[in-house]
Amino acid sequence: MAKKMTDRLRGFFDPIEEEENTEFQLPLDESGKLHRSMGTVRKVQHNFKTVRNRTIESTLPAVLPLDAESRALLELAKAVRDKAYAKYSGFTVGAALVAASGQVYLGVNIENAAFPAGICAERAAFCSAITAGERSFSALAICGGDERVPCFPCGMCRQVLAEFCPADFPVILADGVYPLAGLLPHAFSM
Ligand code: THU
């Protein structure tokens, strides 16, 4: 079982350095369970060339410095945080989404006693923009928690971004501008 799994993955992962461990081994024990920490796996560099017939870059795009425009959008995201309904976590988030039309749509996180019913600030901003008829976007700024620290969008929000925005779409966080493809490589699409 353990060997079969390793065989299936051989060629998908290459070791970063060709030292003593030249072959990627899934840390599985005899029964097929993980027996080492995922730290070991993280040292292994992804080297996907094609996935489902699409060519995928294995290096992430660079994070760009904040400019005056992105700082201004961050300020809007920061200002709208006051409206967040974060009764359960106390973690308020604001998002400012610029549509191709130039219109800015704001969003905050809205929590619920039934936790999964809550929505993130980013998706709230998208809900508002899509409802207004927008389909194309040029930037998103996010401010949450300690405003000096980047508040990275959650996985679900990244997938929503990937639905509407291109790979180079700028996601503006406290410490720089992150191209979407760097936040969500290998996004699901249909
Ligand atoms: N949250 C957002 O609104 N956006 C993010 O990027 C991360 C998390 C919210 C969801 C929840 O209301 C609270 O932050 C704590 O997870």
Side-chain angles (χ1 to χ4, degrees):
M1 154 73 182
K3 191 164 184 303
K4 263 191 189 165
M5 188 72 138
T6 314
D7 283 343
R8 274 177 46 206
L9 289 172
R10 186 165 295 127
F12 277 30
F13 296 94
D14 288 337
I16 289 174
E17 287 178 27
E18 302 220 346
E19 288 170 356
E20 66 273 9
N21 182 16
T22 51
E23 228 173 66
F24 174 70
Q25 291 285 324
L26 269 184
L28 303 178
D29 65 17
E30 299 306 300
S31 67
K33 285 186 183 148
L34 277 174
H35 66 79
R36 264 186 272 150
S37 77
M38 290 302 283
T40 313
V41 177
R42 268 196 229 108
K43 282 188 205 147
V44 179
Q45 192 178 41
H46 284 265
N47 192 21
F48 287 83
K49 289 298 175 225
T50 55
V51 176
R52 293 167 73 191
N53 301 326
R54 287 176 302 154
T55 304
I56 306 285
E57 293 296 326
S58 54
T59 48
L60 299 182
V63 178
L64 308 170
L66 295 169
D67 59 11
E69 215 175 314
S70 46
R71 281 182 202 283
L73 203 59
L74 262 179
E75 284 304 313
L76 290 179
K78 185 177 152 189
V80 78
R81 284 177 72 184
D82 288 348
K83 305 281 197 305
Y85 181 76
K87 184 175 175 183
Y88 302 97
S89 72
F91 190 93
T92 60
V93 185
L97 174 66
V98 190
S101 64
Q103 182 71 40
V104 178
Y105 296 87
L106 301 174
V108 293
N109 53 331
I110 305 166
E111 296 185 348
N112 192 280
F115 289 1
I119 187 169
C120 293
E122 299 89 323
R123 276 177 294 137
F126 270 98
C127 288
S128 172
I130 296 295
T131 305
E134 305 282 5
R135 291 291 184 273
S136 160
F137 302 95
S138 52
L140 171 72
I142 308 166
C143 182
D146 179 344
E147 66 185 59
R148 299 161 299 178
V149 176
C151 175
F152 287 100
C154 78
M156 197 183 283
C157 287
R158 293 177 198 207
Q159 184 64 39
V160 169
L161 277 160
E163 182 72 25
F164 296 105
C165 308
D168 61 353
F169 179 81
V171 178
I172 302 163
L173 305 182
D175 67 345
V177 182
Y178 290 71
L180 177 59
L183 294 174
L184 188 64
H186 317 297
F188 177 73
S189 65
M190 279 172 58

